[in-house]
Amino acid sequence: MEHRYISKDPAIASESNLPDYDTLRAHFTWQSARRTTVGGNIAHEAVDRHVAEGRGDVIAFRFLAEQGPSREFSYELLARESNRFANVLERLGVAPGDLVFTLSGRLPELYVAMIGTLKVRCVVAPLFSAFGPDPVRQRLQAGRGRVLITTAAAYRQKVAPIRGDLPDLEHVLLIGDDVAGDIDGQGVCVLAPLMAAASTEYSIAPTGPEDPAFVHFTSGTTGMPKGAVHVHDAVVAQETTGRYALDLRPGDVFWCTADPGWVTGTSYGLVAPLACGVTCVIDEADFDAVRWYSILEHEQVSVWYTAPTALRMLMKAGDEPVAGRDLTHLRHVASVGEPLNPEVVEWGETLLGKAIHDTWWQTETGAIMVANFASMPIRPGSMGRPVPGIEIGIVRRDSSGERVIAESGQPVFVTQPGVEGELAIRTPWPSMMRAYLNAPDRYKACFAGDWYLSGDLARIDADGYVWFIGRGDDVIKSAGHLIGPFEVESALMEYPAVVEAAVIGVPDQVVGERVEAFVVLGGGAEPSEAITRDLMAFARRRLGSAVAPRRITCEPALPHTQSGKIMRRVLRARAQGLPEGDLSTLGGSG
Ligand code: WT7
């Protein structure tokens, strides 16, 4: 297959942080990338180190409020405020290793709390603010969270109703000042006065590279979400990829549009850019085409990391919101999370004057593994090449689609370029997940011999560029977010009239995949518009807008395998109007 290249101006390439990929790749070691400072705590590497080295005045964060003035935090202010939070947390009696959950929009307090939590060596477990009470309960229970940082509104809506199911949750700290009625004697406190009373001095105790730092919940095909555990050493991979894959340089204004409820929003919305010492723009508001272009222009964003869904939404908004804007500060644009179609790459080239650099990674990898680099020609549709320090391979699959593993336990790789198989990464690397919380078997199942098996299907061409084929499982990717069908099905099953439910992703032009559900009713309930509407509202209330199905269809029965498993792939074929026998284009094991 032949592809068009988007070549790079040699001057731009030579100025980039990675002018010579092959040479750096040949010499790079993670050990040499590791800084040997006391502790190596992420909060030290990302924040305090800059103050100690005389860069405290540099702006770390510019928070754009949905309404009202924006707020700036220099590295020094961020160091002091996160010290306050560390002191607040310590006063609560937490121990290193305890999970501290967050559930909030993109407010300054959230970022301060995350950094402060790392300082006391507690583990940050972010939840997405568009989750409903079900996903919140599920994750807080799985992580036995002792502390939750949230807003009064989120607490009222999503936590208070399930508080009885959370015996481990001792302390809830509320961000904001509209909180009067929420102090219910169950350990709920308002954060602001505690912060005001806390000292701005805090000294981070020595932190081991293998001490846990973050837990990110992620969905698989079966079972409830898994908590991927990441350690402080991950900052080495995050800083390195920030420098080489995102081309972050001192003086840059960086905008990562991802929410810190997901791994992109912490690895690249917080850790990597701060470790690189740049200025991060954080926008509290949700997507809006005019607002986004105006942020790019007025904040003079130089490096922008976003997602295909957002780019497609901008594309849909047309040229008008961008006409006459000065986007000349924009130097590097990158994307992640779902397939970046070549049309979008080309649109970026024409409209923004910038090609879009796709990158690939996963919650489990903790940092970018494959990228189109600033210095390298882009092949629209390809995810790029492995980052320095990362070795990848394509594992063979047999005729039934099972991965081939040799008797030695090592995977068997395809030997020819262009052959499809499962994308694997040689272990270890600093930001590799170290465990799934309380699920050692599920963790073990991700590895064979020396290799991590990603579950994604891909091929590598003769020049080493990686092409995404599809996922090897039933997990849904909607607007860049992973959604586990099982979690949605479980919520639907709670509805009294539902006896069976199957949830799939249906291709969508803008968000990649839409969540759709098929249910079988029982107990004498008849399919009707009223019951579907009620069920939709029920699902939205329980799951929240990020996860709830966009459409629910009542079926007389669902297709099953002989062993009784629901065949989601048959439903996917039906939803796409494909013959049910022809499942070749669908991926997934059903
Ligand atoms: C899955 C991981 C967003 C990264 C961190 C969130 C899909 C990721 C690409 C890409 C096609 C992609 C894969 C992967 N994915 N990047 N450039 N092209 N698909 O990670 O939520 O754990 O999702 O996102 O299927 O396995 P995540």
Side-chain angles (χ1 to χ4, degrees):
M1 212 183 291
E2 249 347 284
H3 308 283
R4 189 175 77 87
Y5 282 95
I6 298 179
S7 56
K8 297 288 177 62
D9 179 341
I12 292 177
S14 68
E15 269 173 26
S16 83
N17 287 335
L18 185 60
D20 182 355
Y21 174 82
D22 293 307
T23 305
L24 185 87
R25 201 178 156 70
H27 295 102
F28 182 89
T29 63
W30 289 115
Q31 200 44 41
S32 63
R34 228 167 238 125
R35 224 190 308 275
T36 45
T37 43
V38 195
N41 186 296
I42 290 177
H44 171 81
E45 294 297 321
V47 183
D48 293 8
R49 177 171 56 90
H50 298 296
V51 181
E53 292 172 5
R55 293 184 297 275
D57 290 346
V58 174
I59 299 303
F61 280 122
R62 222 141 60 201
F63 292 101
L64 312 181
E66 204 158 351
Q67 278 157 7
S70 56
R71 277 171 71 188
E72 277 189 353
F73 281 66
S74 66
Y75 278 89
E76 188 177 353
L77 181 59
L78 192 56
R80 281 194 272 122
E81 289 298 302
S82 55
N83 283 347
R84 281 188 202 270
F85 188 84
N87 286 314
V88 168
L89 210 49
E90 225 165 53
R91 290 283 300 269
L92 297 180
V94 297
D98 282 348
L99 264 62
V100 173
F101 280 78
T102 62
L103 174 68
S104 146
R106 292 177 291 277
L107 298 170
E109 292 85 345
L110 170 68
Y111 291 78
V112 167
M114 287 186 168
I115 296 162
T117 299
L118 295 170
K119 287 186 170 179
V120 297
R121 295 171 299 150
C122 281
V123 182
V124 179
L127 301 174
F128 186 39
S129 57
F131 281 158
D134 271 17
V136 168
R137 173 182 46 208
Q138 214 289 317
R139 288 158 177 79
L140 274 164
Q141 283 175 341
R144 316 199 68 166
R146 289 184 66 191
V147 183
L148 171 70
I149 322 297
T150 187
T151 60
Y155 181 72
R156 227 173 282 142
Q157 264 180 32
K158 300 169 184 188
V159 186
I162 56 164
R163 191 65 201 273
D165 301 335
L166 304 170
D168 296 307
L169 185 58
E170 291 166 50
H171 305 285
V172 178
L173 300 176
L174 298 183
I175 299 172
D177 41 22
D178 56 331
V179 289
D182 293 289
I183 317 303
D184 59 6
Q186 295 192 69
V188 183
C189 314
V190 183
L191 182 56
L194 300 177
M195 287 287 279
S199 162
T200 57
E201 299 294 318
Y202 183 84
S203 106
I204 304 176
T207 307
E210 293 299 311
D211 287 350
F214 284 96
V215 168
H216 280 287
F217 287 88
T218 182
S219 300
T221 300
T222 54
M224 284 300 184
K226 308 161 273 190
V229 179
H230 289 285
V231 297
H232 281 271
D233 200 40
V235 65
V236 176
Q238 288 150 354
E239 179 178 340
T240 301
T241 50
R243 181 172 326 117
Y244 294 136
L246 300 180
D247 200 38
L248 292 174
R249 310 178 201 166
D252 268 330
V253 177
F254 175 61
W255 185 23
C256 167
T257 60
D259 188 272
W262 305 91
V263 72
T264 310
T266 58
S267 289
Y268 295 97
L270 176 76
V271 180
L274 296 189
C276 290
V278 306
T279 298
C280 300
V281 171
I282 305 282
D283 184 26
E284 187 194 349
D286 287 331
F287 175 87
D288 174 84
V290 173
R291 183 175 173 101
W292 276 36
Y293 285 123
S294 120
I295 290 172
L296 290 173
E297 179 178 25
H298 294 124
E299 301 302 321
Q300 308 193 340
V301 172
S302 54
V303 181
W304 188 31
Y305 197 28
T306 188
T309 290
L311 293 165
R312 286 188 293 261
M313 280 157 57
L314 287 177
M315 221 170 129
K316 229 175 113 181
D319 299 358
E320 200 192 314
V322 68
R325 292 213 184 256
D326 175 6
L327 301 183
T328 47
H329 288 91
L330 206 51
R331 186 184 78 240
H332 189 73
V333 182
S335 146
V336 70
E338 15 154 9
L340 180 68
N341 34 323
E343 298 74 38
V344 181
V345 179
E346 275 146 31
W347 165 86
E349 239 188 322
T350 315
L351 196 76
L352 304 174
K354 295 288 155 197
I356 297 160
H357 297 71
D358 196 10
T359 67
W360 176 91
W361 56 293
Q362 302 179 309
T363 302
E364 287 83 351
T365 72
I368 298 172
M369 299 283 106
V370 173
N372 286 281
F373 297 90
S375 57
M376 249 186 237
I378 292 178
R379 297 184 175 187
S382 161
M383 307 191 293
R385 297 174 70 186
V387 305
I390 292 300
E391 191 186 333
I392 60 171
I394 299 292
V395 180
R396 256 171 60 189
R397 307 210 311 158
D398 64 19
S399 53
S400 59
E402 294 294 319
R403 51 173 80 118
V404 181
I405 308 291
E407 252 168 51
S408 65
Q410 301 290 351
V412 177
F413 293 97
V414 307
T415 48
Q416 297 294 315
V419 180
E420 291 177 14
E422 182 174 1
L423 183 57
I425 307 164
R426 188 194 282 277
T427 62
W429 64 93
S431 63
M432 187 181 93
M433 66 160 169
R434 298 299 199 273
Y436 283 134
L437 220 52
N438 307 319
D441 293 343
R442 295 174 88 182
Y443 180 73
K444 242 188 259 150
C446 296
F447 299 88
D450 299 330
W451 295 78
Y452 165 74
L453 307 167
S454 74
D456 276 4
L457 305 179
R459 62 188 165 81
I460 304 178
D461 69 22
D463 300 308
Y465 281 75
V466 186
W467 299 76
F468 182 78
I469 307 292
R471 289 190 59 93
D473 61 18
D474 284 338
V475 172
I476 301 161
K477 256 280 154 148
S478 189
H481 300 145
L482 269 194
I483 296 168
F486 182 78
E487 190 174 13
V488 183
E489 289 160 3
S490 303
L492 294 173
M493 296 286 287
E494 302 270 311
Y495 189 81
V498 171
V499 294
E500 199 169 33
V503 169
I504 60 166
V506 173
D508 182 283
Q509 292 263 314
V510 177
V511 296
E513 287 186 312
R514 264 187 331 267
V515 181
E516 292 201 4
F518 299 84
V519 297
V520 178
L521 301 179
E526 286 298 322
S528 70
E529 218 175 273
I531 202 164
T532 328
R533 211 178 315 119
D534 194 51
L535 182 52
M536 289 279 283
F538 173 85
R540 231 184 135 77
R541 217 160 46 236
R542 301 287 287 255
L543 293 164
S545 58
V547 186
R550 292 284 175 269
R551 193 161 93 170
I552 301 178
T553 313
C554 298
E555 296 277 337
L558 297 176
H560 291 97
T561 61
Q562 279 185 340
S563 62
K565 271 172 55 186
I566 295 175
M567 294 168 80
R568 296 195 188 98
R569 60 181 178 158
V570 171
L571 294 168
R572 280 204 294 269
R574 262 189 219 161
Q576 290 179 55
L578 295 172
E580 285 169 27
D582 176 17
L583 305 170
S584 53
T585 56
L586 295 172
S589 54

